[in-house]
Each structure stands twice: as structure tokens, then as C-alpha cells.
């Protein structure tokens, strides 16, 4: 899913904390009715953080009665999409025949590999009275040797994820390993994603176990070495540096990262690949109608952009 054809987010001001390489200020687009999307990756200074090549934060918003999310069927190659909600519900359908609703704290992990088509909509029963929406969608690149792997889909319930709680700290280990706990989500490249809440005044150490790391502030204010950061900022950390996050107020943020990808990736629309010619091939195949259909959502589709 890509809500809008966004330009690169802007790099933020330089901060004094030695552990922060730079701060990304996402580009924000209002799609109407108070529904906004903030894109933090790719950015002018960080094309990727670990395997994460795309990071969208959407909402919080409230769909009016009779309305909802309608992302029509569209294709992907060369990546895996990670959808994670804080509020609301989205119905996912794809060309593998999957029909799975995602709710807060759950994960939809869709591997595109050589090609998949999917749609994301608000289910009909939620449109009657309106419904909330708030969450993240992220794309992770696949290693070059796995870019043409079989497409796949996995749904993970909230109770599957390790939850670490201690004196005002809560960390849900969603993907990869953090603080000695490991997520059940299978990955083909070292990937880390954690959902963190801190009570005001509490601290959380962030070690250097993952070479590439970033923190995105969802809610509240955090402090790192005397610098304060508000919601809607992606802090990209330098490799090898340990640091400590202090909650200046009750705070909610996510940690993302992992091992560097094995070379640069090209990204065009919904296609990611280490080879430009593979993206051109995917463009031609979608335009010619050679991708699969989405059972239960076969009529509509998003056409190939003109540029």
C-alpha cells in the first residue's frame, strides 16, 4: 500500500547528541477528512535503515459513517510489506487467495517476491457507523538472492509477540530480537522492529546490537542526551553507539533497523529491486495485465502511473 506518490521527506536540523546521525522530518499529506499520512523513508539522507526502505505513519483519524479505507488492488515485487495497527481494522486480500483482517497489535507480513497483488479496505460492517484508523506500513527489501522468491502471506496475532514489561517500560518485540526476546515472524534478512511505551521519567537503553537503527516517535516527548524530540520525527542513529532514551512525558515510539542491505535498491511506485531492468519488466507486466487477480476484489485496480 502506498497512499500517495510522496517526494522524499526532509532532513531535520542537526542535533548535538553524538549518537544521532540525523533527524528526518516526514513529508505529510492530508488525504481529506483529517486523514493524514507521514512518510519518513525513503528520505534525502536515509534511503534505507537496515532493510527498511519505506516507512509510512497514517492517522490517527476517524472515518465518517459510510466511508473507509479503499486501496484498490495493486502489485508489488522484490519486497515484503509490514502492516501494524495501533487502532482500527483493515481487511487484506491478495492474489494468493488470502482474506485476513488485521487489528491493533497484530502483524500482516506479505512477501511479494517475484510478484503479488493485494488490496486493503475497510470492511463493509465497519463503514456503517464509521471507524478509527491509525498505524504503520513499512516495506523491507529482500536480499538479492531472495528477490524472486515465491510470494507469501503470514498473519500473526498479538499474543504471539514477546512482551517485556519493567517499571513503566513496555516493549513488544514484533520482528527480530530485542532485549533477549525473539519474535516468531520469520525473516530472510536481519530485521528488527519493536513497539515501545514509556511512562514519564522512565528510561530505556538502546544497545548497538543491530548495525543500523532508527526510532520514530508516535506520541509524547522523548529526551536523548538533553535533546528533546516530539512526535513525527525519525531519529537515525550512528552505528556502534549505545544510547539511552528518557520519556519527558508518557511516550510511545517504535524502533526499526537491522543489518545493512546487500547493495542499493531501486524503488519506483510499488516495485523494489536491485536491478532497474526488473522494475521495467514489472511495469510492463502490470500494464499488460499479466499479474494475478485478487479473489473477492477482481473488478477495480490501480493503473500504472504515467510517470
Amino acid at each position: 500500500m502506498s497512499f500517495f506518490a510522496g517526494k522524499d521527506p526532509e532532513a531535520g536540523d542537526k542535533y548535538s547528541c553524538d549518537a544521532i546521525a540525523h533527524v528526518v522530518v516526514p513529508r505529510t499529506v492530508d488525504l481529506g477528512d483529517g486523514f493524514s499520512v507521514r512518510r519518513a523513508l525513503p528520505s534525502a539522507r536515509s534511503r534505507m535503515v537496515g532493510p527498511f526502505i519505506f516507512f509510512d505513519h497514517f492517522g490517527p483519524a476517524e472515518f465518517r459513517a459510510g466511508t473507509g479505507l479503499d486501496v484498490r488492488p495493486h502489485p508489488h515485487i522484490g519486497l515484503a510489506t509490514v502492516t501494524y495497527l495501533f487502532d482500527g481494522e483493515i481487511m487484506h486480500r491478495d492474489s494468493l487467495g488470502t482474506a485476513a483482517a488485521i487489528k491493533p497489535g497484530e502483524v500482516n507480513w506479505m512477501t511479494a517476491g517475484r510478484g503479488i497483488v493485494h488490496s486493503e479496505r475497510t470492511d463493509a460492517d465497519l463503514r456503517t457507523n464509521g471507524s478509527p484508523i491509525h498505524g504503520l506500513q513499512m516495506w523491507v527489501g529482500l536480499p538479492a538472492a531472495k528477490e524472486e522468491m515465491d510470494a507469501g502471506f503470514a498473519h500473526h496475532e498479538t499474543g504471539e509477540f514477546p512482551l517485556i514489561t519493567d517499571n513503566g517500560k513496555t516493549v513488544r518485540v514484533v520482528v527480530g530480537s530485542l532485549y533477549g526476546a525473539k519474535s516468531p515472524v520469520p525473516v530472510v534478512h536481519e530485521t528488527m522492529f519493536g513497539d515501545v511505551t514509556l511512562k514519564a521519567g522512565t528510561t530505556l537503553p538502546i544497545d548497538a546490537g543491530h548495525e543500523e537503527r532508527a526510532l520514530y516517535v508516535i506520541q509524547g516527548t522523548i529526551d536523548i542526551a538533553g535533546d528533546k524530540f516530539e512526535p513525527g520525527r525519525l531519529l537515525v542513529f550512528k552505528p556502534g553507539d549505545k544510547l539511552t532514551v528518557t520519556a519527558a512525558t508518557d511516550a510511545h515510539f517504535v524502533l526499526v533497523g537491522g543489518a545493512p542491505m546487500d547493495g542499493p535498491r531501486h524503488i519506483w511506485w510499488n516495485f523494489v529491486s536491485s536491478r532497474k531492468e526488473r522494475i521495467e519488466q514489472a511495469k510492463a507486466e502490470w500494464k499488460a495485465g499479466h499479474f494475478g487477480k485478487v479473489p473477492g476484489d477482481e473488478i477495480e485496480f490501480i493503473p500504472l502511473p504515467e510517470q
Side-chain angles (χ1 to χ4, degrees), residues 31 49-50 67 80 97 104-105 114-115 123 138 147 167 194 210 254 260 267 277 282 296 301:
L31 300 181
V49 177
T67 67
R114 67 171 64 95
D123 222 17
M138 300 163 286
E147 286 183 317
N167 294 326
H210 299 282
V254 295
I267 180 170
E277 62 271 19
F301 67 93

Side-chain angles (χ1 to χ4, degrees), residues 90-104:
I90 296 174
M91 175 57 72
H92 163 99
R93 288 184 172 85
D94 63 41
S95 51
L96 300 175
T98 308
I102 181 173
K103 299 177 182 179

Side-chain angles (χ1 to χ4, degrees), residues 54 68-69 106 115 131 133 257 261 278:
F54 180 99
L69 185 67
E106 301 176 346
S131 62
I133 188 73
M261 188 48 66
R278 181 65 180 93

Side-chain angles (χ1 to χ4, degrees), residues 128 237 252 255:
T128 303
F237 301 127
H252 181 196
L255 297 169

Side-chain angles (χ1 to χ4, degrees), residues 69-247:
L69 185 67
D70 278 305
V71 181
R72 294 167 292 159
H74 58 281
H76 290 285
I77 65 163
L79 55 85
T81 67
V82 189
T83 306
Y84 187 77
L85 297 182
F86 305 121
D87 199 4
E89 182 178 321
I90 296 174
M91 175 57 72
H92 163 99
R93 288 184 172 85
D94 63 41
S95 51
L96 300 175
T98 308
I102 181 173
K103 299 177 182 179
E106 301 176 346
V107 163
N108 277 2
W109 184 284
M110 185 186 74
T111 302
R114 67 171 64 95
I116 198 168
V117 181
H118 75 137
S119 65
E120 290 152 302
R121 299 185 187 266
T122 300
D123 222 17
D125 59 344
L126 294 176
R127 293 174 185 260
T128 303
N129 298 315
S131 62
I133 188 73
H134 184 205
L136 303 173
Q137 180 156 96
M138 300 163 286
W139 298 353
V140 296
L142 300 175
K146 297 285 187 179
E147 286 183 317
E148 298 299 319
M149 68 187 293
D150 290 341
F153 178 84
H155 175 86
H156 295 271
E157 302 282 346
T158 305
E160 297 180 44
F161 303 109
L163 193 65
I164 303 163
T165 58
D166 178 51
N167 294 326
K169 310 176 187 69
T170 301
V171 180
R172 174 174 277 113
V173 183
V174 184
V175 182
S177 298
L178 277 170
Y179 305 105
K182 184 174 173 130
S183 162
V185 177
V187 295
V188 295
H189 183 86
E190 182 192 312
T191 307
M192 175 270 290
F193 170 38
D195 184 8
V196 182
T197 56
L198 300 181
K199 291 292 187 183
T202 60
T203 61
L204 182 73
I206 299 177
D207 64 26
H210 299 282
E211 184 175 347
E212 296 190 357
R213 306 158 296 160
L215 180 158
Y216 182 83
V217 185
I218 303 290
Q219 190 173 27
T221 302
I222 64 168
D223 182 296
I224 300 177
D227 286 321
K228 288 184 168 55
F229 302 94
E230 304 290 338
R233 296 293 182 268
L234 181 76
L235 317 181
V236 180
F237 301 127
K238 295 177 181 176
D241 283 353
K242 296 180 179 180
L243 58 110
T244 297
V245 177
T246 300

